[in-house]
Amino acid sequence: MYSKKLNLKLKSILLLVSGLYASSAFALEPFVVKDIRVEGIQRTEAGTVFTYLPVKVGETMNDELATQAIKALYGTGFFKDVRIEAENDVLIVTVQERSAIAQIDLSGNKSLPSDKMKEGLKQIGIAEGQIFDKSQLDRAEQEIKRQYLSQGKYGATVKTVVSPLERNRVAVRFDIEEGAVSKIRNINIVGNNAFTMDDLRAQFMLTTPNWMSWWNKDDQYSKQKLNADLEALRSFYMNQGYLEFNIDSTQVSITPDKKDIYITVNITEGQKYKISEVKLAGDTIIPEEELKKLIQLQAGDTFSREKVTQTSKAISDRLSDEGYAFSNVNPVPDVNKEEHTAAFTFFVDPGKKVYIRRINIVGNTRTRDEVVRREVRQLESAWYSSAKINRSKERLVRTQFFSDVNVETPAVPGTADQVDLNISVTEQSTGSVQFGAGLSSSEGVVFGVTVNQNNFLGTGNRVTAQINTGKVNTTYSLSYTDPYFTPDGVSRGFDVYRRDVDTSSISSVGTYNTSSYGGGVRFGIPLNERDGFNFGLAADFTTVDLSSQSPKQYIDFCGNTKGCSSDSVVASAGWTHDSRDSVQYTTSGVLQRLSGEVSLPVLDLQYYKTSYKHAWYTPITKDFTFSLNGEIGYADSYGNEKYPFFKNFFMGGVGSVRGYNNGSLGPRDFDPITGQSFAVGGTKSLLGNAELFFPVPGISSKQFRLSVFADAGNVYAKNEAFNMGDLRYSTGLGVSWFSPFGPLKLVFAKALNSKPGDDTQVLQFQLGQQF
């Protein structure tokens, strides 16, 4: 028995010293285990040790099993020492546990929250309850420093203190000195002759401290941002003709106090190159004359890498519209360094013509499959067309049924001429019950409830019920629209409503009250992908209430100061062209709308009203969008009847000429008692807007946008002609926010040529959904 014990001790020593789990050279006579005893454990359960032992009571213990047991227990990571002994056929397992981390403390961290830092430490194995591994402390310190480096704090220091606790536990404390944020003090570019330093620095996202740096953090060094800036600098030169431009070296230095960073970029500009010739080669498939129209470079032009890239993409896209999804257009330059010219040959390899095998749609858990497929313009078993695929995605986005739409065209395995069109959508809420309030500079407090479902039961049909109350407008309405009443996309809708108007609270508008109710049916016919025609018929029953203070024009219409009934059957029609990329966040495209309505000579009113709108959007840069909008309207009566004044055009306010009170422009009348003037509207209108949209600095969300604008417009009476000299002008700054409570529009405007009697406003706003 003594020999067994000696052999096992010698074996344990050899394993610990050598670190190898090989069999001992000392023989161990096998014995039957009568009992197993575990010694040295404080936190670990004895059952954990038993689990890893390869032998049980009543089984035979031998040299090989002893080696396996030591190896298994070391492998748990719980123990730093393991010994196995035998005494009177009792197997004794003696262990020395590793320390456990009982607590982690962080001190000095002001800009990084402790819970976030602990989450980062947990990823590398430093967490409360985990086994303490001293070798991981260096990794932990580096991880904390890395987080501070991402904030530009290059002087941050981290010290670690480990304190032993009872029951073989330790407390780990990280003492942090954050230091100050390191700032870029200078960006120096060496070797520039063709452009000024300011021109080149303007290509950089990184900059020296400025009045917006506290928000944009653009004065904090980042290697990724610097690499992006160097590529932007390269593109700038290459687009200006400098074909041989090169960045020779980049040095980033930091002062000893870790507060200031200096960046130096050494460049070689080279010579400016011209285009000597542009040719097409290869299998063009499409007539060469058509492809030449897509080439954006001509002989004599200054070389531009951007135009070369755009030309290759335009030709490739054109080929893909014909089914050549995997075409390759390779621009090959022939450089003449002596004359500083470059000739480009665009080699066209269309590849095989590809068709769509199958269209797969996933993610539409609520929306019916046919509702998605009817928006897809690419057909199964048809030739691949990138234009149709892009248009399909655009149409799906415009439904507003989905928060995200992804389109992929993977090749079909085992084929060279087939791809699948995989459309993945993410459903978003299309129905809502809203109880809320809004605030408008013209309406005052507006209370409303709206039950809206744009995708009723997943059919794509729209159902909306609204109740909206304000000081001026009170509306109750119910509408239903089936956008695909026919498979060809003819829509049909029904509307019923009750609408009350009380202008007594608007001092700039003549006093009158109307109470209307009615209903109608409407149809929409798509003419093509961008154009549509709509028409409808509605019956309207309106009661007009006047007072002795109502304008003479209103009193003349009714023939008395009490009011009158003005019922009508109105036929309407319109044409719309819409190529905008988005309805809410438009960055490019055109919206044209020609609409008109005429009352049929069957009831009280006989009038007609028409208007035309043309809005144009174009991206100036990635973040800046410029828009122009023009609107004109004309209305009159027929059959020797009087034109209903409540159908007049009104102008002024957030939606037209900002800086003037809502509806205050145009012909005016006077209260004979108070002498106060107020607008009465007109039968002609003219409006023009120019606006530049851009994001709020430091906020990437599209829900926030700023704009600078210039407005011009006015309305004219029936006996007045359009007169450009009577236009009112304004300019200012606008803020838009598509908040969860509805759109917020805040306008700071200055009326530029107000005249006596005009009502102007510097600050105008609208909060809450207007129905």
Side-chain angles (χ1 to χ4, degrees), residues 361-376 392-406 423-430 454-455 458 460 584:
I361 301 171
V362 297
N364 54 319
T365 56
R366 183 172 62 253
T367 305
R368 296 180 184 178
D369 199 64
E370 62 268 21
V371 174
V372 179
R373 290 185 180 274
R374 71 191 185 190
E375 303 296 338
V376 177
S392 300
K393 180 178 180 179
E394 183 179 315
R395 288 182 64 89
L396 288 171
V397 171
R398 289 172 69 95
T399 63
Q400 299 185 13
F401 299 163
F402 313 108
S403 61
D404 189 32
V405 178
N406 289 316
I423 300 176
S424 175
V425 299
T426 302
E427 298 267 15
Q428 69 177 359
S429 177
T430 58
N454 289 330
N455 188 12
Q584 288 185 328

Short mmCIF file of all heavy atoms in Angstrom, two decimals, residues 361-376 392-406 423-430 454-455 458 460 584:
data_model
loop_
_atom_site.label_atom_id
_atom_site.label_comp_id
_atom_site.label_asym_id
_atom_site.label_seq_id
_atom_site.Cartn_x
_atom_site.Cartn_y
_atom_site.Cartn_z
N ILE A 361 -40.30 35.55 -52.25
CA ILE A 361 -40.64 36.63 -51.33
C ILE A 361 -40.69 36.07 -49.93
O ILE A 361 -41.37 35.07 -49.67
CB ILE A 361 -41.99 37.28 -51.71
CG1 ILE A 361 -41.94 37.82 -53.14
CG2 ILE A 361 -42.35 38.38 -50.72
CD1 ILE A 361 -43.28 38.28 -53.67
N VAL A 362 -39.97 36.70 -49.02
CA VAL A 362 -39.95 36.26 -47.62
C VAL A 362 -40.13 37.49 -46.73
O VAL A 362 -39.83 38.62 -47.11
CB VAL A 362 -38.63 35.54 -47.26
CG1 VAL A 362 -38.48 34.27 -48.06
CG2 VAL A 362 -37.43 36.45 -47.49
N GLY A 363 -40.63 37.24 -45.54
CA GLY A 363 -40.79 38.31 -44.55
C GLY A 363 -42.18 38.91 -44.49
O GLY A 363 -42.49 39.63 -43.54
N ASN A 364 -43.03 38.64 -45.47
CA ASN A 364 -44.38 39.21 -45.47
C ASN A 364 -45.31 38.35 -44.64
O ASN A 364 -46.12 37.59 -45.15
CB ASN A 364 -44.90 39.37 -46.91
CG ASN A 364 -44.85 38.07 -47.70
OD1 ASN A 364 -43.90 37.33 -47.61
ND2 ASN A 364 -45.88 37.82 -48.49
N THR A 365 -45.18 38.48 -43.34
CA THR A 365 -45.97 37.66 -42.43
C THR A 365 -47.43 38.08 -42.39
O THR A 365 -48.30 37.27 -42.07
CB THR A 365 -45.38 37.75 -41.01
OG1 THR A 365 -45.33 39.12 -40.60
CG2 THR A 365 -43.98 37.17 -40.98
N ARG A 366 -47.70 39.33 -42.69
CA ARG A 366 -49.08 39.83 -42.64
C ARG A 366 -49.61 40.17 -44.03
O ARG A 366 -50.76 39.88 -44.36
CB ARG A 366 -49.15 41.07 -41.74
CG ARG A 366 -50.56 41.61 -41.56
CD ARG A 366 -50.61 42.71 -40.51
NE ARG A 366 -49.79 43.87 -40.88
CZ ARG A 366 -48.63 44.18 -40.31
NH1 ARG A 366 -48.14 43.40 -39.36
NH2 ARG A 366 -47.95 45.24 -40.68
N THR A 367 -48.78 40.78 -44.84
CA THR A 367 -49.21 41.19 -46.18
C THR A 367 -49.31 39.99 -47.10
O THR A 367 -48.40 39.15 -47.14
CB THR A 367 -48.20 42.20 -46.76
OG1 THR A 367 -48.06 43.29 -45.86
CG2 THR A 367 -48.67 42.72 -48.10
N ARG A 368 -50.38 39.92 -47.83
CA ARG A 368 -50.58 38.80 -48.73
C ARG A 368 -49.53 38.80 -49.83
O ARG A 368 -49.06 39.84 -50.26
CB ARG A 368 -51.98 38.86 -49.34
CG ARG A 368 -53.10 38.70 -48.32
CD ARG A 368 -54.46 38.77 -48.99
NE ARG A 368 -55.53 38.71 -48.00
CZ ARG A 368 -56.83 38.79 -48.30
NH1 ARG A 368 -57.19 38.94 -49.58
NH2 ARG A 368 -57.74 38.73 -47.35
N ASP A 369 -49.20 37.61 -50.29
CA ASP A 369 -48.15 37.45 -51.28
C ASP A 369 -48.48 38.22 -52.56
O ASP A 369 -47.61 38.85 -53.17
CB ASP A 369 -47.95 35.97 -51.59
CG ASP A 369 -46.61 35.69 -52.24
OD1 ASP A 369 -45.58 35.92 -51.58
OD2 ASP A 369 -46.59 35.27 -53.40
N GLU A 370 -49.74 38.19 -52.97
CA GLU A 370 -50.09 38.85 -54.22
C GLU A 370 -50.00 40.38 -54.11
O GLU A 370 -49.79 41.06 -55.12
CB GLU A 370 -51.50 38.46 -54.67
CG GLU A 370 -52.62 38.85 -53.71
CD GLU A 370 -52.94 37.74 -52.73
OE1 GLU A 370 -52.09 36.86 -52.50
OE2 GLU A 370 -54.07 37.75 -52.18
N VAL A 371 -50.12 40.91 -52.88
CA VAL A 371 -49.97 42.36 -52.69
C VAL A 371 -48.53 42.78 -52.97
O VAL A 371 -48.28 43.84 -53.54
CB VAL A 371 -50.40 42.75 -51.26
CG1 VAL A 371 -50.11 44.22 -51.00
CG2 VAL A 371 -51.87 42.45 -51.05
N VAL A 372 -47.58 41.93 -52.58
CA VAL A 372 -46.17 42.22 -52.88
C VAL A 372 -45.89 42.02 -54.36
O VAL A 372 -45.27 42.86 -55.02
CB VAL A 372 -45.25 41.33 -52.02
CG1 VAL A 372 -43.78 41.62 -52.34
CG2 VAL A 372 -45.51 41.56 -50.54
N ARG A 373 -46.36 40.91 -54.91
CA ARG A 373 -46.04 40.57 -56.30
C ARG A 373 -46.62 41.58 -57.29
O ARG A 373 -46.03 41.80 -58.35
CB ARG A 373 -46.53 39.16 -56.63
CG ARG A 373 -45.74 38.07 -55.93
CD ARG A 373 -46.16 36.68 -56.36
NE ARG A 373 -45.38 35.67 -55.67
CZ ARG A 373 -44.19 35.22 -56.07
NH1 ARG A 373 -43.67 35.69 -57.19
NH2 ARG A 373 -43.55 34.31 -55.38
N ARG A 374 -47.75 42.19 -56.98
CA ARG A 374 -48.33 43.12 -57.94
C ARG A 374 -47.52 44.41 -58.07
O ARG A 374 -47.71 45.17 -59.02
CB ARG A 374 -49.78 43.43 -57.55
CG ARG A 374 -49.95 44.28 -56.31
CD ARG A 374 -51.40 44.28 -55.87
NE ARG A 374 -51.64 45.19 -54.74
CZ ARG A 374 -52.78 45.23 -54.05
NH1 ARG A 374 -53.77 44.39 -54.37
NH2 ARG A 374 -52.94 46.09 -53.06
N GLU A 375 -46.62 44.66 -57.11
CA GLU A 375 -45.74 45.82 -57.22
C GLU A 375 -44.44 45.50 -57.95
O GLU A 375 -43.68 46.41 -58.28
CB GLU A 375 -45.41 46.36 -55.82
CG GLU A 375 -46.61 46.74 -54.97
CD GLU A 375 -47.39 47.90 -55.56
OE1 GLU A 375 -46.82 48.66 -56.36
OE2 GLU A 375 -48.59 48.03 -55.22
N VAL A 376 -44.18 44.21 -58.16
CA VAL A 376 -42.92 43.79 -58.79
C VAL A 376 -43.05 43.90 -60.30
O VAL A 376 -43.97 43.32 -60.90
CB VAL A 376 -42.56 42.35 -58.37
CG1 VAL A 376 -41.29 41.90 -59.08
CG2 VAL A 376 -42.39 42.27 -56.86
N SER A 392 -39.08 47.87 -59.04
CA SER A 392 -39.87 47.01 -58.15
C SER A 392 -39.58 47.35 -56.70
O SER A 392 -40.50 47.48 -55.88
CB SER A 392 -39.54 45.54 -58.42
OG SER A 392 -39.85 45.19 -59.76
N LYS A 393 -38.30 47.50 -56.36
CA LYS A 393 -37.94 47.85 -54.99
C LYS A 393 -38.51 49.22 -54.62
O LYS A 393 -39.03 49.41 -53.52
CB LYS A 393 -36.43 47.85 -54.84
CG LYS A 393 -35.97 48.19 -53.44
CD LYS A 393 -34.46 48.12 -53.30
CE LYS A 393 -34.04 48.49 -51.88
NZ LYS A 393 -32.56 48.41 -51.70
N GLU A 394 -38.42 50.16 -55.55
CA GLU A 394 -38.93 51.50 -55.28
C GLU A 394 -40.43 51.48 -55.01
O GLU A 394 -40.92 52.15 -54.09
CB GLU A 394 -38.62 52.40 -56.48
CG GLU A 394 -39.03 53.85 -56.31
CD GLU A 394 -38.68 54.69 -57.52
OE1 GLU A 394 -37.55 54.55 -58.02
OE2 GLU A 394 -39.53 55.47 -57.98
N ARG A 395 -41.17 50.69 -55.80
CA ARG A 395 -42.62 50.62 -55.60
C ARG A 395 -42.97 49.96 -54.27
O ARG A 395 -43.93 50.37 -53.60
CB ARG A 395 -43.26 49.84 -56.76
CG ARG A 395 -43.28 50.60 -58.07
CD ARG A 395 -43.97 49.78 -59.16
NE ARG A 395 -45.38 49.59 -58.83
CZ ARG A 395 -46.37 50.42 -59.18
NH1 ARG A 395 -46.09 51.52 -59.87
NH2 ARG A 395 -47.62 50.16 -58.85
N LEU A 396 -42.21 48.96 -53.87
CA LEU A 396 -42.47 48.32 -52.58
C LEU A 396 -42.19 49.28 -51.43
O LEU A 396 -42.93 49.28 -50.43
CB LEU A 396 -41.60 47.05 -52.44
CG LEU A 396 -42.03 45.86 -53.31
CD1 LEU A 396 -40.98 44.76 -53.26
CD2 LEU A 396 -43.38 45.32 -52.84
N VAL A 397 -41.15 50.07 -51.55
CA VAL A 397 -40.86 51.06 -50.51
C VAL A 397 -41.98 52.09 -50.42
O VAL A 397 -42.39 52.50 -49.33
CB VAL A 397 -39.50 51.73 -50.78
CG1 VAL A 397 -39.28 52.92 -49.83
CG2 VAL A 397 -38.37 50.74 -50.62
N ARG A 398 -42.50 52.50 -51.57
CA ARG A 398 -43.52 53.55 -51.60
C ARG A 398 -44.86 53.08 -51.03
O ARG A 398 -45.71 53.90 -50.67
CB ARG A 398 -43.71 54.07 -53.02
CG ARG A 398 -42.54 54.90 -53.52
CD ARG A 398 -42.69 55.23 -55.00
NE ARG A 398 -43.79 56.15 -55.21
CZ ARG A 398 -43.66 57.47 -55.29
NH1 ARG A 398 -42.47 58.03 -55.15
NH2 ARG A 398 -44.70 58.26 -55.50
N THR A 399 -45.08 51.77 -50.94
CA THR A 399 -46.32 51.30 -50.31
C THR A 399 -46.36 51.67 -48.83
O THR A 399 -47.43 51.76 -48.25
CB THR A 399 -46.46 49.78 -50.43
OG1 THR A 399 -45.40 49.14 -49.73
CG2 THR A 399 -46.46 49.35 -51.89
N GLN A 400 -45.16 51.83 -48.21
CA GLN A 400 -45.02 52.12 -46.79
C GLN A 400 -45.57 50.98 -45.91
O GLN A 400 -45.90 51.19 -44.76
CB GLN A 400 -45.70 53.45 -46.44
CG GLN A 400 -45.10 54.63 -47.16
CD GLN A 400 -45.69 55.96 -46.73
OE1 GLN A 400 -46.37 56.04 -45.72
NE2 GLN A 400 -45.41 57.01 -47.49
N PHE A 401 -45.63 49.78 -46.51
CA PHE A 401 -46.01 48.60 -45.73
C PHE A 401 -44.81 48.00 -45.01
O PHE A 401 -44.99 47.23 -44.06
CB PHE A 401 -46.62 47.51 -46.62
CG PHE A 401 -47.88 47.92 -47.35
CD1 PHE A 401 -48.34 47.20 -48.43
CD2 PHE A 401 -48.61 49.04 -46.95
CE1 PHE A 401 -49.51 47.55 -49.10
CE2 PHE A 401 -49.76 49.41 -47.61
CZ PHE A 401 -50.20 48.68 -48.70
N PHE A 402 -43.60 48.33 -45.47
CA PHE A 402 -42.41 47.64 -45.00
C PHE A 402 -41.37 48.66 -44.53
O PHE A 402 -41.16 49.70 -45.17
CB PHE A 402 -41.81 46.76 -46.10
CG PHE A 402 -42.84 45.92 -46.81
CD1 PHE A 402 -43.22 46.21 -48.11
CD2 PHE A 402 -43.44 44.85 -46.16
CE1 PHE A 402 -44.17 45.45 -48.76
CE2 PHE A 402 -44.39 44.07 -46.81
CZ PHE A 402 -44.77 44.38 -48.11
N SER A 403 -40.70 48.33 -43.44
CA SER A 403 -39.63 49.20 -42.94
C SER A 403 -38.33 48.97 -43.68
O SER A 403 -37.45 49.83 -43.69
CB SER A 403 -39.40 48.94 -41.44
OG SER A 403 -39.02 47.60 -41.21
N ASP A 404 -38.20 47.82 -44.32
CA ASP A 404 -36.97 47.53 -45.05
C ASP A 404 -37.29 46.59 -46.21
O ASP A 404 -38.09 45.66 -46.06
CB ASP A 404 -35.92 46.89 -44.12
CG ASP A 404 -34.56 46.77 -44.77
OD1 ASP A 404 -34.23 47.64 -45.59
OD2 ASP A 404 -33.82 45.82 -44.46
N VAL A 405 -36.68 46.84 -47.36
CA VAL A 405 -36.84 45.99 -48.54
C VAL A 405 -35.46 45.70 -49.10
O VAL A 405 -34.72 46.62 -49.46
CB VAL A 405 -37.71 46.68 -49.62
CG1 VAL A 405 -37.82 45.78 -50.84
CG2 VAL A 405 -39.10 47.00 -49.07
N ASN A 406 -35.09 44.43 -49.15
CA ASN A 406 -33.80 44.01 -49.71
C ASN A 406 -34.03 43.13 -50.91
O ASN A 406 -34.92 42.26 -50.90
CB ASN A 406 -32.97 43.25 -48.67
CG ASN A 406 -32.45 44.17 -47.58
OD1 ASN A 406 -31.98 45.26 -47.85
ND2 ASN A 406 -32.54 43.71 -46.33
N ILE A 423 -36.65 38.62 -52.76
CA ILE A 423 -37.12 39.87 -52.16
C ILE A 423 -37.41 39.60 -50.69
O ILE A 423 -38.28 38.78 -50.36
CB ILE A 423 -38.38 40.40 -52.87
CG1 ILE A 423 -38.08 40.65 -54.34
CG2 ILE A 423 -38.88 41.67 -52.20
CD1 ILE A 423 -39.31 41.07 -55.15
N SER A 424 -36.68 40.27 -49.83
CA SER A 424 -36.87 40.12 -48.38
C SER A 424 -37.43 41.42 -47.83
O SER A 424 -36.83 42.49 -48.01
CB SER A 424 -35.53 39.79 -47.71
OG SER A 424 -35.67 39.77 -46.31
N VAL A 425 -38.58 41.34 -47.17
CA VAL A 425 -39.23 42.53 -46.63
C VAL A 425 -39.37 42.39 -45.12
O VAL A 425 -39.41 41.29 -44.59
CB VAL A 425 -40.63 42.77 -47.27
CG1 VAL A 425 -40.51 42.98 -48.77
CG2 VAL A 425 -41.57 41.60 -46.98
N THR A 426 -39.37 43.53 -44.47
CA THR A 426 -39.61 43.57 -43.03
C THR A 426 -40.89 44.35 -42.79
O THR A 426 -40.97 45.54 -43.13
CB THR A 426 -38.44 44.25 -42.30
OG1 THR A 426 -37.23 43.54 -42.58
CG2 THR A 426 -38.68 44.25 -40.80
N GLU A 427 -41.89 43.67 -42.26
CA GLU A 427 -43.18 44.32 -42.05
C GLU A 427 -43.07 45.45 -41.02
O GLU A 427 -42.27 45.37 -40.09
CB GLU A 427 -44.21 43.30 -41.54
CG GLU A 427 -44.50 42.16 -42.51
CD GLU A 427 -45.69 42.46 -43.40
OE1 GLU A 427 -46.11 43.62 -43.48
OE2 GLU A 427 -46.21 41.50 -44.01
N GLN A 428 -43.83 46.49 -41.23
CA GLN A 428 -43.94 47.53 -40.23
C GLN A 428 -45.41 47.79 -39.96
O GLN A 428 -46.28 47.40 -40.74
CB GLN A 428 -43.25 48.81 -40.66
CG GLN A 428 -43.92 49.54 -41.81
CD GLN A 428 -43.20 50.84 -42.14
OE1 GLN A 428 -42.22 51.20 -41.51
NE2 GLN A 428 -43.70 51.56 -43.13
N SER A 429 -45.69 48.44 -38.87
CA SER A 429 -47.07 48.72 -38.51
C SER A 429 -47.71 49.63 -39.54
O SER A 429 -47.18 50.71 -39.85
CB SER A 429 -47.13 49.37 -37.12
OG SER A 429 -48.45 49.71 -36.79
N THR A 430 -48.81 49.19 -40.10
CA THR A 430 -49.53 50.01 -41.09
C THR A 430 -50.88 50.49 -40.56
O THR A 430 -51.61 51.18 -41.26
CB THR A 430 -49.77 49.21 -42.38
OG1 THR A 430 -50.51 48.02 -42.05
CG2 THR A 430 -48.45 48.82 -43.01
N ASN A 454 -53.51 51.27 -43.50
CA ASN A 454 -53.09 51.37 -44.90
C ASN A 454 -52.98 50.01 -45.57
O ASN A 454 -52.80 49.95 -46.79
CB ASN A 454 -51.74 52.09 -44.98
CG ASN A 454 -51.86 53.56 -44.66
OD1 ASN A 454 -52.90 54.17 -44.91
ND2 ASN A 454 -50.81 54.13 -44.10
N ASN A 455 -53.02 48.96 -44.79
CA ASN A 455 -52.89 47.61 -45.35
C ASN A 455 -53.94 46.74 -44.68
O ASN A 455 -53.63 45.82 -43.92
CB ASN A 455 -51.47 47.09 -45.12
CG ASN A 455 -51.20 45.79 -45.84
OD1 ASN A 455 -51.97 45.35 -46.69
ND2 ASN A 455 -50.09 45.15 -45.48
N GLY A 458 -54.04 42.88 -44.65
CA GLY A 458 -53.00 42.42 -45.56
C GLY A 458 -53.35 42.50 -47.03
O GLY A 458 -52.63 41.99 -47.87
N GLY A 460 -53.68 45.35 -48.81
CA GLY A 460 -53.17 46.55 -49.46
C GLY A 460 -54.20 47.64 -49.58
O GLY A 460 -53.89 48.74 -50.06
N GLN A 584 -41.72 61.10 -48.42
CA GLN A 584 -41.42 61.91 -47.25
C GLN A 584 -40.04 62.53 -47.30
O GLN A 584 -39.85 63.68 -46.92
CB GLN A 584 -41.54 61.05 -45.98
CG GLN A 584 -42.97 60.69 -45.61
CD GLN A 584 -43.03 59.94 -44.29
OE1 GLN A 584 -42.11 59.20 -43.95
NE2 GLN A 584 -44.10 60.12 -43.56
#
